[in-house]
Amino acid sequence: MKKFVKFMGITAATLLAVAPIAAPVLSTTSVSAATDVDGNFIQPDASYTDNGDGTYTLHGTLNGDIWSGGDKSHPTGNALPISLEGMKVDSEGIITLKAPTFDGYTYGSNDTYQLDLDGEGNVYLYSGFNYTPTNSTIAEQNKTLGVPYSTTITLTTDAITCDDTGLPNQVTGTRDFSELPAGSSWKVDRKMFMYGETYYRVGNNVWVDKRDGTEQAANPNVVTTKNQASLYTKDGKKVTNRALAANTPWYTDQSATINGEKMYRVATNEWVKASDIQ
């Protein structure tokens, strides 16, 4: 039997209910080659159009992985953008292109990369991009754990979580990997790009792959605390016997300026400062 671990006290029960988002409908023109070993659909990295003259025009943007000292550093969330838009090639199948250069980075894979054109308008990255910072300042900047990003992700599959370095989290005292159950919803506070994919942070040292769930649109009537937040009455008097836990969402029906500070009402006579929410 699987055991699921709770992180930061954030569980599906603590989040406000949000209507589920329908799963995307996959194109019937997708080819069987675009599946993994389990038969799951693999999202194309880009696209192309057939120009009818033996050439193909590429579309989209790819991401370059940033490495530091042989160990994966932590990009600031966007990685290095590599545009294919408008690039014209003259062969279908696997093609080899020269990798772009970026100031402050060295490319580490023989200066080239490969793309696979599948014959149906989809482009897949056949060999990826590995860039190494050329100075310690950039390397140190890349260790930042992503960028702030506020959303809620509802898992569509049992999701194995990973730590800040991208390695799977293990259940203490076992050889089992920690998983979060399908159908549960989790508050996201940061995102980062690592190992070719986008990951969302749902707890301290706990990340999930973006592909394991669907994002839910932000509710304008919900505020989420960024730290333990004090409560105040409508007259600005501090409530001394309780507070709101950090990283928890709360329904609000109105805002007001109280004693010169913007606040949101989260109960009949309890308000939280705007400076204490994300």
Side-chain angles (χ1 to χ4, degrees):
M1 181 176 69
K2 295 179 180 178
K3 294 182 178 179
F4 302 112
V5 182
K6 297 179 181 178
F7 301 98
M8 292 179 64
I10 308 172
T11 65
T14 65
L15 296 176
L16 297 176
V18 181
I21 297 176
V25 178
L26 301 181
S27 170
T28 56
T29 62
S30 299
V31 295
S32 59
T35 58
D36 62 18
V37 293
D38 296 320
N40 299 313
F41 179 78
I42 299 174
Q43 186 71 26
D45 295 295
S47 63
Y48 71 89
T49 53
D50 187 340
N51 299 320
D53 58 1
T55 65
Y56 305 87
T57 301
L58 307 181
H59 308 286
T61 302
L62 304 175
N63 289 305
D65 284 335
I66 305 171
W67 294 70
S68 178
D71 295 323
K72 187 69 169 63
S73 62
H74 296 287
T76 57
N78 297 321
L80 293 174
I82 299 167
S83 177
L84 299 179
E85 196 62 43
M87 186 180 295
K88 187 176 290 188
V89 295
D90 58 6
S91 62
E92 187 174 356
I94 296 176
I95 58 175
T96 300
L97 300 172
K98 186 170 180 61
T101 59
F102 292 92
D103 185 34
Y105 296 89
T106 300
Y107 188 66
S109 299
N110 299 320
D111 296 329
T112 60
Y113 65 100
Q114 293 180 312
L115 298 175
D116 185 3
L117 280 61
D118 68 358
E120 297 289 340
N122 301 312
V123 175
Y124 298 89
L125 187 57
Y126 188 81
S127 63
F129 306 92
N130 297 323
Y131 288 89
T132 302
T134 55
N135 62 65
S136 59
T137 300
I138 293 178
E140 189 63 31
Q141 290 173 347
N142 289 338
K143 293 179 181 177
T144 302
L145 297 178
V147 294
Y149 187 74
S150 181
T151 189
T152 298
I153 184 170
T154 297
L155 300 177
T156 54
T157 184
D158 292 346
I160 294 176
T161 69
C162 68
D163 62 18
D164 291 343
T165 69
L167 296 177
N169 285 309
Q170 282 190 296
V171 179
T172 303
T174 75
R175 294 184 179 181
D176 297 331
F177 292 133
S178 173
E179 292 186 344
L180 301 178
S184 61
S185 296
W186 300 85
K187 177 64 183 176
V188 173
D189 68 341
R190 300 188 76 82
K191 71 174 180 178
M192 69 175 169
F193 182 85
M194 62 181 178
Y195 302 119
E197 299 298 338
T198 297
Y199 285 79
Y200 290 153
R201 189 170 75 172
V202 296
N204 185 27
N205 203 32
V206 181
W207 302 74
V208 294
D209 192 321
K210 176 183 178 181
R211 298 171 299 174
D212 287 338
T214 57
E215 288 188 61
Q216 298 178 1
N219 187 335
N221 296 320
V222 174
V223 294
T224 301
T225 56
K226 62 183 178 182
N227 44 246
Q228 181 171 301
S230 298
L231 292 167
Y232 299 85
T233 68
K234 65 180 180 180
D235 299 318
K237 183 179 180 180
K238 186 176 182 178
V239 178
T240 59
N241 61 347
R242 57 186 174 277
L244 303 182
N247 297 304
T248 54
W250 299 88
Y251 179 79
T252 180
D253 62 348
Q254 58 183 279
S255 63
T257 299
I258 300 174
N259 289 344
E261 290 194 73
K262 184 175 182 179
M263 295 191 183
Y264 293 91
R265 190 170 79 161
V266 294
T268 302
N269 191 26
E270 292 181 341
W271 299 70
V272 62
K273 291 182 178 180
S275 57
D276 285 331
I277 65 173
Q278 299 177 15

